[in-house]
Amino acid sequence: MSILVTPETKILVQGITGEFGGRHAKLSLDYGTKVVAGVTPGKGGQFFEHGAHKVPIFNTVAEAAKATGATVSAVFVPPPFAADAILEGVDAGLVLVIAITEGIPIRDMVRVKRAMQGKKTRLIGPNCPGIVTPGTGEKSTGGCRIGIAPGYIHKKGHVGIVSRSGTLTYEAVWQVTCKGLGQTTCVGIGGDPVNGTSHLDVIKMFNDDPETKGIIMIGEIGGNAEVEAARWIKEHCKKPVAGFIAGATAPAGRRMGHAGAIVGGAEDTAAAKIAVFKECGIEVAATPSDMADALLRVAAAKKVNLA
Amino acid sequence: MNIHEFQANALFGKYGVPAPKGVPAKTVAEIDAALAQFPEGMVVVKSQIHAGGRGKGTFTDGYKGGVKVCKTKTDAREAALKMLGNTLVTLQTGPAGRKVQTLFFTEACPPKKEYYLSILLDRASSRPVIVASTEGGMNIEEVAKATPEKIHKVFVDPAYGLADFQVRQLCFALGFNPKESKEAAKLIRNLYNMFWDVDASMVEINPLITTADDRVLALDAKVGFDDNALFRHPEIVALRDFAEEDPKETEASKHELSYIALDGNIACLVNGAGLAMSTMDIIKHFGGNPANFLDVGGGASKEQVVAAFKIILGDKNVKGIFVNIFGGIMDCNVIAAGIVEAVKEVGLKLPLVVRLEGNNVVAGKKTLADSGLPIVSGDSMADAAQKIVKLVAA
């Protein structure tokens, strides 16, 4: 199994006719992902064509979901309209909305998060690389790729990866793949201060997933989401967990690229988070080159075979 | 984005947040014109820089205090002339200090008591939180640590906005008398409306004061804005003061590069914020010192890479460069060609270590090797970081 999405999951892409959304919709189709619909208001009735694929475009998410059975949306809509696009997916009763868009105003996300309370839809992101559940084909094709991650670096296997950063996720994925191991699902939860799914939410899913035998959790400065997850791991998770926190050298009070990567006080520094990781039995990678090795160390100590 | 106190004071005025009357001045003529608007008597002179600790700061010529309460307008004029164009060093400016280009004159409002009030985003609840304390004029983090019971918070439900009962909770917690409470309630409500309306990331009043005649005033004003929301606030963007920014950071933002200057000597050029942060970390881990944070984004173009090299080399402390690219979707060979072109265009003389990984990496490495340029290749982040640290130390 995997978490959140499987190779059978049907996807719709909001913003499929945009340059960014279109490019990544094609890459997902190439990967073997079931992209069954696109949504662009005003372009309903047209088709998004790529090779042998002819993906119908709808004016609204509700129509697209009803006509195609899509349950998951990837949002590639520009920042001023992205919050509204997320809410449209929620209103259509989708299971999962994955917001790739970077630069959504925080106030918009505060309202979205409030509006989603009590709704069945889960949000991942925004400002995230998305999700990949690798497939069994060549270069992991045949899997479910939603978002902007490079598919070919993955390999089907037993490691779960959760991270706030895009390229740092790819770094971890590639290290795991180069060790001959693979991933169940890789989840980028995004670098914004207000996001839909936390480290802890994903960790709980990995913990419940029988296929996932080890976990890599990647965090950064700002907020306390990694600390919350680490404390839960200490109490409830028996699986080997390796961790990495970026931003040890970041100056306080400066926003380091991600809107959420900012040191506000003594509690959300890299040093403070690393200390909590260690205290909670998470094997800390000394450098970002050490993430897969750190997982192998803790797996060996717990006598868990990750292969 | 941050603004000056005098700009925040004007914004307070627009939203009905009571604050002392103030007039800014940028020249000697404006100083005289500003002072003419005050009655004879006490006037406060405040240096306008984007950094705290101004009152306890010292100018580079030895003149003490970036904020002065003056007994007469003559004294105020004299203090203002000392401050204008002078460089103020505070705990937050770093040793280089900041040049004072604007002064802000305000009426003197002797406080009966000082309080603290701020509004910011609470990440854990994803809601705005109003923080208030009876301990005004102090460092609020220290108050929170030493006497947490003196920090009062209300979390605002974005679906309903700030409720009357929450405002009352704050007023009772701060111990205001009935007349002060009425004033404070209006101030808190208007401040919250402003916070929400202008997409502020933070507003802070320290100190908030009560006066002998039971007025409640914002004696200081600090406002920061959510950069993501600036597109819908041209009136706020117009307040941006480029003189307060590192020119390299300003230049970077023009090329949609995310750059932050640090004080080390190994420059970094990386794609992705998380990877960029950890590149700085790994340099430090192997005994070097990063000169900057630089994220060229997911789809860095050749033009961006060239611009990035120029910005990096604008920092005279830089003794070596570490390029770290994980080309997931991007073709490593295209990036390699961009690096080669950039190196030729800027005539690079410093050691350069490049670590490429990802799509079409073999061709990319070959392009670098065939360029005839002294570019050192690193196999992993750790390998490349060790190489650049060694080269710079040599």
Side-chain angles (χ1 to χ4, degrees), chain B residues 286-333:
Chain B
F286 288 114
N289 261 316
N292 62 274
F293 168 92
L294 174 55
D295 172 13
V296 295
S301 67
K302 202 171 67 193
E303 291 70 28
Q304 278 181 307
V305 173
V306 173
F309 265 92
K310 286 182 178 165
I311 289 161
I312 283 173
L313 293 171
D315 179 348
K316 295 298 162 218
N317 293 328
V318 168
K319 298 282 181 282
I321 300 174
F322 180 7
V323 175
N324 184 15
I325 303 284
F326 197 109
I329 304 294
M330 279 195 293
D331 185 333
C332 284
N333 199 23

Side-chain angles (χ1 to χ4, degrees), chain B residues 14-157:
Chain B
K14 191 176 151 196
Y15 281 89
V17 176
K21 176 194 156 190
V23 187
K26 287 176 189 294
T27 62
V28 178
E30 283 180 17
I31 287 173
D32 289 325
L35 283 169
Q37 298 185 45
F38 288 87
E40 194 45 70
M42 285 174 76
V43 181
V44 185
V45 189
K46 299 175 123 180
S47 299
Q48 299 295 289
I49 56 170
H50 285 187
R54 293 170 297 165
K56 293 194 177 92
T58 305
F59 289 89
T60 45
D61 67 352
Y63 185 72
K64 286 197 186 310
V67 175
K68 296 256 177 182
V69 182
C70 300
K71 288 202 170 69
T72 66
K73 290 211 277 184
T74 314
D75 289 355
R77 185 173 191 277
E78 195 182 324
L81 292 177
K82 286 232 164 70
M83 292 178 194
L84 189 67
N86 206 343
T87 300
L88 180 61
V89 180
T90 79
L91 281 175
Q92 292 182 14
T93 61
R98 294 272 176 83
K99 193 173 175 186
V100 177
Q101 319 225 31
T102 308
L103 295 166
F104 190 42
F105 297 96
T106 69
E107 57 178 331
C109 299
K112 185 167 68 184
K113 183 165 167 45
E114 298 190 343
Y115 303 83
Y116 173 92
L117 180 67
S118 70
I119 309 178
L120 65 162
L121 172 78
D122 177 63
R123 291 171 66 152
S125 65
S126 298
R127 291 179 176 201
V129 57
I130 305 181
V131 181
S133 175
T134 49
E135 307 304 293
M138 322 246 299
N139 178 334
I140 200 66
E141 283 205 14
E142 281 166 24
V143 175
K145 215 168 169 187
T147 49
E149 71 281 3
K150 288 182 175 165
I151 302 278
H152 307 281
K153 293 181 179 178
V154 302
F155 297 86
V156 183
D157 186 330

Side-chain angles (χ1 to χ4, degrees), chain A residues 251 254, chain B residues 246 248-249 259-264 290-293 315:
Chain A
R254 296 300 305 267
Chain B
D246 184 320
K248 297 194 291 299
E249 294 179 14
Y259 173 91
I260 293 170
L262 301 169
D263 53 10
N292 62 274
F293 168 92
D315 179 348

Side-chain angles (χ1 to χ4, degrees), chain B residues 212-241:
Chain B
D213 56 351
D214 292 336
R215 285 184 302 151
V216 181
L217 295 173
L219 213 55
D220 192 11
K222 197 171 157 191
V223 183
F225 300 90
D226 173 12
D227 291 355
N228 287 353
L230 289 175
F231 70 85
R232 58 189 176 204
H233 298 288
E235 79 290 357
I236 301 293
V237 176
L239 300 177
R240 186 168 167 189
D241 182 355

Side-chain angles (χ1 to χ4, degrees), chain A residues 59-76:
Chain A
N59 285 322
T60 68
V61 175
E63 283 176 82
K66 194 174 171 205
T68 65
T71 55
V72 175
S73 164
V75 175
F76 284 92

Side-chain angles (χ1 to χ4, degrees), chain A residues 106-107 114 152 247 249 260, chain B residues 123 157 196 226 281 355 359:
Chain A
I106 293 168
R107 189 180 78 189
R114 179 64 178 83
Y152 69 91
T249 49
Chain B
R123 291 171 66 152
D157 186 330
W196 189 257
D226 173 12
D281 298 347
R355 181 269 182 148
N359 191 9

Side-chain angles (χ1 to χ4, degrees), chain B residues 238-257:
Chain B
L239 300 177
R240 186 168 167 189
D241 182 355
F242 290 100
E244 286 290 330
E245 296 175 19
D246 184 320
K248 297 194 291 299
E249 294 179 14
T250 309
E251 179 65 20
S253 68
K254 282 186 204 153
H255 297 279
E256 292 179 24
L257 301 167

